[in-house]
Amino acid sequence: MSGGLPPRLADLVRLNSDPIAVQTVRSTVAAVLSYAVAVWVLPNPAPLTAPLTALLVVQVTLFTTVTTGIRRVLSVVAGVLIAVGFSELIGLTWWSLGLIILASLVTGHFIRVDEFVAEVAISAMLILAVPAPSGEAVDRVMETLVGAAVGVLLNVVVPPPAFVEPAGEAVRELAEHMRLLMIRMGGELRAGATAERARAWLMEARRLDNEIARFDASLRRAEEGTRLNPRVRPAEGAMARLILRSGLDTLEVSTVLLRTLCRSLTEMERERGPLEPLFSRELADGMDELFADMADAVDSYGRLIAAQVTAGAEQAEARLADALRRGREERDRIAVLLRAETERRWENWDLYGALLANIDRLLNELDLEQRSRWLSEQLVAAAPSSKGMPARLHRRARAIGGRLRRGARGRG
């Protein structure tokens, strides 16, 4: 993305896409601004609740900032009302404090303020700690409103990045991890890998499953970043969310299939010695070629997802279609070799069948025809014209689906 930029400018671009840096700067600016505004408009000489609210409200995306601000204001108002009500009725004693905390926590869950449930009770207790609860209640509510308003307005006036490109790069990174594992598996099979090596591949495939959560967090940030963001048109945001989510889901299924494939390889030890190679020389060479083709397909798929949320998906589509074609051809050749191997070692027929079935599923999961049909249907369904969404989204959705289908047929 920034390869052609000067080093300092490239570093600045990367910093602007880093969620920690974005939130740190925005939270600091929002807190300072909210304090200045509160000092200017409110009588309290030290309205620290305003910057505190801004720190809690400002999030890395505008969507989460707005929803967090609403929950924060609701929690403070609920706590203030509970405190004022109890102070007028029964005052503050040890048992009334228990009732106030209980009522505050129950109310927080009832109004669904999520992480601010405890804030309801905290606000109530802070109000009860002053001699004039009613006056302090108004000040606290006003300071909270100022902090929330400044936090939201800052993200509206200076919108945060949508984090679409980092999410696309996360999908591509997952594909790259899968590619490296497949390349290593093929190379080690050609070198005479045993079931012991297959167990090492299985452990690494399981670690890929664990990494899905990290990539999913990046994707959720992008999904939230495209909502309510003035930088992103609603139609384009809906398209980016759908492309990214479908891409990660496909790779997640592919990691499960890869793990199952590794499991099939480890089970071949039952009819072989622990030091005996998993395949004969001809089969091992074919498996190396097949894994290289599948690795190329997975890598091309990751590049295609990243390109579709930025620009220039044509080359990635061509590479993916070609890799799938080569992979299916090699798979058919290996099926013939495995059939001949089964005639000599019939006890392994179920393992060979499971191996081929998982290869077929993995290739089909990355198939252009299947993905294009699903994607075009989902894009059209995500933005019906009857709800006022731009008609160009429908045209672009159909164009993407038609282009992918034509490319899949032509290259297949």
Side-chain angles (χ1 to χ4, degrees):
M1 305 299 176
S2 55
L5 297 177
R8 290 187 179 181
L9 185 57
D11 291 340
L12 183 61
V13 170
R14 283 193 293 270
L15 191 63
N16 188 51
S17 299
D18 182 80
I20 296 177
V22 169
Q23 184 164 1
T24 299
V25 173
R26 288 178 176 273
S27 296
T28 303
V29 173
V32 173
L33 287 178
S34 62
Y35 181 80
V37 171
V39 170
W40 180 44
V41 301
L42 299 177
N44 189 349
L48 293 177
T49 302
L52 173 62
T53 300
L55 283 174
L56 295 174
V57 164
V58 172
Q59 301 296 314
V60 74
T61 66
L62 178 58
F63 178 78
T64 50
T65 296
V66 172
T67 55
T68 302
I70 293 173
R71 293 196 300 273
R72 166 74 178 178
V73 170
L74 285 176
S75 65
V76 170
V77 171
V80 165
L81 293 177
I82 291 172
V84 171
F86 270 85
S87 65
E88 295 293 334
L89 293 175
I90 55 179
L92 180 62
T93 62
W94 67 267
W95 58 269
S96 65
L97 177 63
L99 287 177
I100 291 170
I101 295 174
L102 178 63
S104 299
L105 296 178
V106 170
T107 301
H109 286 290
F110 181 75
I111 61 178
R112 297 181 180 180
V113 292
D114 298 338
E115 71 271 29
F116 293 122
V117 168
E119 179 67 23
V120 180
I122 293 171
S123 297
M125 288 188 288
L126 289 176
I127 297 301
L128 291 173
V130 299
S134 57
E136 180 66 21
V138 174
D139 290 343
R140 183 167 175 79
V141 170
M142 293 303 297
E143 291 174 19
T144 300
L145 289 173
V146 168
V150 170
V152 172
L153 285 175
L154 175 65
N155 276 9
V156 171
V157 175
V158 187
F163 298 106
V164 169
E165 290 189 22
E169 289 301 318
V171 173
R172 183 174 170 181
E173 182 183 349
L174 176 59
E176 174 67 9
H177 290 180
M178 294 180 63
R179 184 188 75 86
L180 292 176
L181 175 57
M182 289 179 176
I183 291 292
R184 186 162 64 256
M185 289 171 64
E188 292 180 358
L189 281 172
R190 184 185 287 268
T194 64
E196 185 64 31
R197 289 304 308 152
R199 279 190 284 272
W201 303 333
L202 178 60
M203 294 301 296
E204 187 163 347
R206 286 171 174 167
R207 283 195 291 271
L208 284 177
D209 285 348
N210 296 332
E211 290 186 2
I212 293 291
R214 178 168 63 89
F215 295 116
D216 188 64
S218 177
L219 182 54
R220 283 199 307 272
R221 187 183 303 118
E223 289 174 332
E224 294 174 351
T226 56
R227 290 187 170 97
L228 305 180
N229 195 327
R231 293 185 179 185
V232 182
R233 295 175 180 177
E236 301 298 328
M239 181 175 292
R241 289 194 297 271
L242 192 57
I243 289 173
L244 288 170
R245 177 56 63 184
S246 67
L248 183 62
D249 288 348
T250 295
L251 289 180
E252 184 174 3
V253 173
S254 299
T255 59
V256 175
L257 293 173
L258 181 59
R259 186 186 67 213
T260 308
L261 192 154
C262 293
R263 182 72 181 182
S264 298
L265 292 175
T266 63
E267 292 178 354
M268 290 185 181
E269 185 184 25
R270 72 188 189 190
E271 300 298 337
R272 299 172 183 267
L275 301 180
E276 185 179 354
L278 293 173
F279 297 109
S280 64
R281 168 58 59 186
E282 187 177 11
L283 259 175
D285 292 347
M287 293 297 293
D288 184 21
E289 295 292 333
L290 176 59
F291 275 114
D293 292 335
M294 290 195 300
D296 195 17
V298 168
D299 180 63
S300 299
Y301 186 86
R303 292 175 182 273
L304 175 61
I305 297 301
Q308 282 187 340
V309 295
T310 53
E314 293 281 352
Q315 185 177 1
E317 290 174 21
R319 282 190 57 197
L320 175 57
D322 185 58
L324 290 173
R325 177 188 57 78
R326 289 185 282 109
R328 289 191 171 103
E329 290 175 355
E330 192 63 35
R331 180 267 179 209
D332 292 340
R333 191 175 75 85
I334 287 175
V336 174
L337 296 175
L338 286 176
R339 189 178 300 116
E341 184 75 11
T342 303
E343 293 175 358
R344 292 191 297 269
R345 308 181 71 157
W346 63 268
E347 64 275 5
N348 283 343
W349 69 269
D350 57 333
L351 296 178
Y352 293 155
L355 183 66
L356 287 174
N358 285 313
I359 292 172
D360 286 338
R361 293 191 189 104
L362 204 156
L363 292 172
N364 290 335
E365 191 65 30
L366 303 172
D367 186 71
L368 277 170
E369 177 79 17
Q370 176 178 315
R371 170 176 166 76
S372 64
R373 185 183 303 111
W374 180 88
L375 183 59
S376 60
E377 292 172 355
Q378 292 298 313
L379 284 171
V380 172
S385 298
S386 59
K387 294 186 178 180
M389 294 297 287
R392 67 176 179 277
L393 179 60
H394 294 262
R395 293 194 296 271
R396 183 171 177 185
R398 294 189 181 95
I400 288 177
R403 178 161 51 84
L404 286 173
R405 282 194 291 274
R406 287 192 300 273
R409 294 193 190 102
R411 301 179 189 107

